[in-house]
C-alpha cells in the first residue's frame, strides 16, 4: 500500500504536513532564522509596537516577540516530539511483549497499566511534578511516566488482534523464532496503528505542555515557550492583546495541523476508510467534530 499516493489526494492533509515540516525546520534552525536574541532585555523598547526591526513588537522586558516565538518552537513542538518518541518506544516494547507472549507477562504489564491509567492524566502529571519539582527535566519525566501506559495498552490490543491470524500461527508451528515473527510479520501490520496513535496524540500533548508552562509548572523563565508567553502577556491582555495573539495563534495552528494530519494518515493507511471516503462523508465528519 502506497501511503503517500493516498495522502497526496487529501489537500488538508498535505497542507497540514507542509505546515508541520516547515515549523519543525524553523525550530531547528532558530539561531539562524530568529532576527534577535530572545533573551536580550532592552527596557527602552518595553511594550513597543510592530516595527521593521521587530515585526511583532516587544514584550514587557523589551525582548523580541518574533524571536521568542521562533525559539518557542523547540520546547512547544520539538520537545513534545521527543517525549512522544520515548513514550511510544517504552509503550510499544511493553505492548508487544504483553500482546504476543500473553500469560503472566501480559497480566503483570496490564496491571501496572491499569494502575497508571486509573488516575486522570493531568492529576498524575501534577502529582509527579509536585513531588519532583518544577522544571524542564521533571516535566519530561512526568509526561513519559503518564503516557507510556496508554500506548502500551493500545499496542497490546493491536498485537493480540494480529497474532491470532492463521499465518502467524503457522509461523509459530513451523518453529520460527518469536523475534523473527515479531520483526517480520507483526511489526509491519501494526505500524499503521502506531502511526495513527502517535500523530493523534501530539496535539493534546502540545496543549498540555503549554498549559503547564502557563501555570508556571513547565518551562521556566527566561526561556521562550508559547504557554509561558501567554502567561507573561496575561497582565496586559486588555491594553496589549496582540501580545497574546502570536503564541495563541501558533498553538491553535499547530494543534489543528497535527489533528488534521492524523485524520489524513488514518484514511491514507486504512484502505477501507480510503475507499469509503467521499465529499459527503467527509463533510459530515467535520460537522460532527465541530
Amino acid at each position: 500500500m502506497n501511503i503517500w499516493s493516498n495522502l497526496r489526494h487529501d489537500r488538508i492533509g498535505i497542507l497540514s504536513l507542509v505546515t508541520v515540516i516547515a515549523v519543525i525546520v524553523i525550530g531547528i534552525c532558530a539561531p539562524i532564522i530568529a532576527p534577535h536574541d530572545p533573551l536580550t532585555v532592552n527596557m527602552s523598547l518595553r511594550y513597543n509596537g510592530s516595527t521593521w526591526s521587530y515585526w511583532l513588537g516587544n514584550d514587557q522586558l523589551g525582548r523580541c516577540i518574533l524571536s521568542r516565538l521562533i525559539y518557542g518552537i523547540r520546547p512547544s513542538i520539538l520537545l513534545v516530539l521527543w517525549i512522544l518518541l520515548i513514550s511510544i518506544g517504552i509503550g510499544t516494547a511493553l505492548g508487544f511483549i504483553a500482546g504476543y507472549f500473553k500469560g503472566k507477562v501480559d497480566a503483570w504489564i496490564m496491571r501496572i497499566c491499569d494502575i497508571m491509567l486509573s488516575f486522570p492524566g493531568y492529576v498524575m502529571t501534577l502529582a509527579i511534578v509536585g513531588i519532583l519539582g518544577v522544571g524542564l527535566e521533571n516535566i519530561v519525566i512526568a509526561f513519559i511516566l503518564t503516557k507510556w501506559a496508554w500506548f502500551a495498552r493500545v499496542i497490546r490490543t493491536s498485537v493480540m488482534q494480529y497474532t491470532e491470524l492463521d499465518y502467524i500461527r503457522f509461523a509459530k508451528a513451523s518453529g520460527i523464532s518469536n523475534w523473527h515473527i515479531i520483526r517480520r510479520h507483526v511489526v509491519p501490520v501494526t505500524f499503521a496503528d502506531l502511526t495513527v496513535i502517535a500523530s493523534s496524540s501530539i496535539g493534546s500533548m502540545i496543549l498540555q505542555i503549554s498549559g503547564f508552562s502557563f501555570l508556571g509548572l513547565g518551562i521556566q523563565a527566561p526561556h521562550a515557550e508559547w504557554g509561558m508567553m501567554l502567561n507573561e502577556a496575561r497582565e496586559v491582555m486588555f491594553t496589549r492583546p496582540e501580545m497574546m495573539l502570536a503564541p495563541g495563534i501558533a498553538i491553535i495552528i499547530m494543534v489543528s495541523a497535527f489533528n488534521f494530519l492524523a485524520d489524513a494518515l488514518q484514511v491514507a493507511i486504512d484502505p477501507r476508510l480510503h475507499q469509503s471516503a467521499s465529499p459527503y462523508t467527509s463533510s459530515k465528519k467535520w460537522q460532527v467534530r465541530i
Side-chain angles (χ1 to χ4, degrees), residues 47-127:
Y47 292 130
N48 267 14
S50 177
T51 62
W52 286 108
S53 298
Y54 300 92
W55 289 3
L56 298 180
N58 304 84
D59 62 6
Q60 74 279 2
L61 296 177
R63 298 172 297 189
C64 177
I65 294 178
L66 177 59
S67 299
R68 292 182 63 79
L69 191 71
I70 293 175
Y71 271 88
I73 296 173
R74 294 186 168 189
S76 300
I77 304 298
L78 301 184
L79 178 63
V80 169
L81 294 176
W82 179 245
I83 295 174
L84 184 68
L85 287 176
I86 298 176
S87 302
I88 288 180
I90 298 174
T92 300
L94 295 176
F96 267 99
I97 294 174
Y100 185 84
F101 294 101
K102 304 176 184 178
K104 293 184 178 180
V105 176
D106 177 31
W108 276 102
I109 295 176
M110 286 303 102
R111 295 299 77 76
I112 298 175
C113 290
D114 290 340
I115 295 173
M116 297 300 297
L117 295 175
S118 61
F119 301 94
Y122 280 104
V123 175
M124 179 67 75
T125 306
L126 282 172

Side-chain angles (χ1 to χ4, degrees), residues 91-102 106 109-111 113-114 117 148-165 186 189-191 193-194 197:
T92 300
L94 295 176
F96 267 99
I97 294 174
Y100 185 84
F101 294 101
K102 304 176 184 178
D106 177 31
I109 295 176
M110 286 303 102
R111 295 299 77 76
C113 290
D114 290 340
L117 295 175
W148 72 265
W150 185 76
F151 292 117
R153 179 170 287 279
V154 174
I155 294 300
R156 171 214 180 232
T157 303
S158 178
V159 171
M160 291 184 67
Q161 172 186 351
Y162 292 111
T163 53
E164 297 299 326
L165 298 178
V186 182
V189 294
T190 56
F191 178 76
D193 298 335
L194 185 61
I197 294 168

Side-chain angles (χ1 to χ4, degrees), residues 174-212:
S174 301
I176 301 176
S177 64
N178 293 324
W179 166 247
H180 182 79
I181 294 174
I182 293 175
R183 180 177 58 85
R184 187 70 179 272
H185 300 292
V186 182
V187 171
V189 294
T190 56
F191 178 76
D193 298 335
L194 185 61
T195 303
V196 174
I197 294 168
S199 59
S200 61
S201 302
I202 299 177
S204 63
M205 292 181 66
I206 293 174
L207 290 174
Q208 291 179 28
I209 285 284
S210 299
F212 279 108

